[in-house]
Amino acid sequence: EEWKDRGAAVGVQRDIDANGNTITRVVKKGVKDFSFGRTLGEGSYSTVLAATDRTTLKEYAIKVLDKRHIIKEKKVKYVNIEKNTLNRLGEHPGVVRLYYTFQDERSLYFVLDLAAGGELLGFLKRMTTFDEECTRYYSAQILDTIEYMHSKGVIHRDLKPENVLLDDQMRVKITDFGTAKILDPPKKPPQNGDGPSGMPYHGDPMEEDGSKANSFVGTAEYVSPELLTDKAACKASDLWAFGCIVFQLLSGRPPFKAVNEYQTFQKIVGLEYEFPKGFPPVARDLVERLLVLDPAKRLNIEHIKNHEFFDGIEWGRTLWKIKAPRLK
Ligand SMILES: Nc1ncnc2c1ncn2[C@@H]1O[C@H](COP(=O)(O)OP(=O)(O)OP(=O)(O)O)[C@@H](O)[C@H]1O
Ligand SMILES: O=C(O)C[C@H](Cc1nc2cc(Cl)cc(Cl)c2[nH]1)c1ccc(Cl)cc1
């Protein structure tokens, strides 16, 4: 049987010796335990390969990072945030699960769920737009996963269709947690200088005046206004990105897009966007209540789940059992 301590994977092997005594051996999973297949994709600091566990024949995606490259590019912090965040998130159908991590002299390895369907963005590009039924299904699974992440004190901070992968049954698998923020439960009563809602942050260096130096900004089109104005990401920032994704699935383009990042940021803080003709009115109402400049005035997850756009969606386990609607 196998048991895994936090992220480091160890297997337990039992054998009987000549005198009939049981010998228990603890074995660490390593590169040798997998046969590597095709390249699923490349990141700036990583290669993701399909792989099969030689013993169990289970298929995984293994993300391989070159140690020297990570150190040179000063990405050690992000790799460890990704590992710690994935370990903290444990198991949810909408999160790419981390089974093992290990390293050899040259590389680091993340053994992850295989999302054989690839990126949601790929399907959207092929379809140009999704109809309401498909949009409802995919955005409901994304929302259910955001709710789970937030319940574990994790803010994703870079939600976008590229980071929404799909498994072989066209179910959502959210990935890319290297830039997530982990909210720590306050050990002491909230003091000023803590993050919003009195929750102190960790993972970003603090300025001497106690304000958070938020080094990270997400992908321009999906960045929330509060991150641009007072550099503070909060849970509602993921719901801004969610609003952008719903808009993009139905219209084929993100709401805020300009010739360069700076002009995109100007459109965001100025709330300059318009719906294309024919955009479904119920979905429009939902998006208008998410793309609100003041994060405190944005719909919260409970209200979104009860919005008319999600009529017919049964939240909870059922959502992950129903068949994905055919993309048409
Ligand atoms: N679990 C997975 N299953 C299948 N494909 C995956 C999985 N994880 C990543 N990929 C694919 O591999 C490619 C590289 O992903 P990776 O997360 O390593 O880098 P990235 O985040 O896309 O790029 P960057 O690091 O520059 O942001 C992506 O195109 C992604 O779609
Ligand atoms: O937490 C652990 O298990 C230990 C290590 C931590 C760790 N060791 C590292 C060595 C290098 Cl060179 C770079 C990074 Cl980012 C490194 N991170 C580790 C091993 C593998 C992976 Cl995928 C992530 C972190």
Side-chain angles (χ1 to χ4, degrees), residues 67 70-71 76 79-80 83 101-103 108-110:
K67 284 181 173 177
I70 294 170
I71 293 172
V76 172
V79 174
N80 292 329
K83 178 177 189 289
T101 59
F102 47 80
Q103 54 183 302
L108 299 175
Y109 301 84
F110 285 91

Side-chain angles (χ1 to χ4, degrees), residues 119-135:
E119 298 177 3
L120 180 64
L121 182 68
F123 286 96
L124 182 59
K125 281 189 172 156
R126 281 197 286 280
M127 305 294 296
T128 312
T129 61
F130 280 9
D131 64 15
E132 280 190 81
E133 189 197 3
C134 291
T135 299

Side-chain angles (χ1 to χ4, degrees), residues 94-307:
V95 174
V96 167
R97 187 167 159 207
L98 172 64
Y99 294 88
Y100 316 108
T101 59
F102 47 80
Q103 54 183 302
D104 57 22
E105 59 294 328
R106 185 197 304 212
S107 308
L108 299 175
Y109 301 84
F110 285 91
V111 181
L112 302 159
D113 269 327
L114 170 63
E119 298 177 3
L120 180 64
L121 182 68
F123 286 96
L124 182 59
K125 281 189 172 156
R126 281 197 286 280
M127 305 294 296
T128 312
T129 61
F130 280 9
D131 64 15
E132 280 190 81
E133 189 197 3
C134 291
T135 299
R136 187 175 2 271
Y137 169 83
Y138 288 105
S139 49
Q141 290 197 339
I142 294 168
L143 185 69
D144 193 61
T145 311
I146 293 173
E147 181 174 43
Y148 172 75
M149 288 189 260
H150 288 182
S151 74
K152 295 281 181 183
V154 171
I155 307 175
H156 187 283
R157 294 204 297 183
D158 197 15
L159 286 174
K160 52 182 177 176
E162 293 93 312
N163 287 337
V164 178
L165 304 186
L166 298 165
D167 66 14
D168 54 357
Q169 297 175 64
M170 297 301 279
R171 295 209 171 109
V172 158
K173 289 273 178 201
I174 292 181
T175 186
D176 224 347
F177 289 88
T179 49
K181 191 183 277 296
I182 298 181
L183 301 171
D184 269 337
K187 293 171 192 53
K188 53 194 180 357
Q191 329 263 318
N192 60 0
D194 276 349
S197 72
M199 301 283 266
Y201 286 134
H202 86 73
D204 281 315
M206 301 295 261
E207 301 290 355
E208 46 287 346
D209 67 359
S211 70
K212 239 173 335 354
N214 232 324
S215 55
F216 173 69
V217 165
T219 305
E221 286 77 10
Y222 307 89
V223 162
S224 59
E226 61 271 13
L227 201 62
L228 295 170
T229 48
D230 57 23
K231 296 176 69 59
C234 54
K235 289 183 175 180
S237 307
D238 280 344
L239 298 179
W240 171 280
F242 177 73
C244 294
I245 292 171
V246 173
F247 180 101
Q248 183 173 355
L249 295 183
L250 285 165
S251 69
R253 62 175 173 83
F256 306 100
K257 185 146 187 65
V259 288
N260 60 51
E261 281 202 353
Y262 180 76
Q263 295 199 16
T264 300
F265 292 156
Q266 274 192 307
K267 287 191 167 190
I268 291 167
V269 297
L271 204 61
E272 290 166 39
Y273 77 105
E274 63 253 352
F275 292 91
K277 257 178 1 50
F279 194 93
V282 171
R284 173 173 180 141
D285 181 77
L286 173 62
V287 170
E288 284 172 343
R289 295 172 192 279
L290 288 167
L291 300 186
V292 173
L293 291 178
D294 179 353
K297 294 203 174 67
R298 243 164 259 163
L299 278 191
N300 66 29
I301 291 179
E302 211 39 51
H303 289 137
I304 302 169
K305 292 168 91 168
N306 292 323
H307 190 280

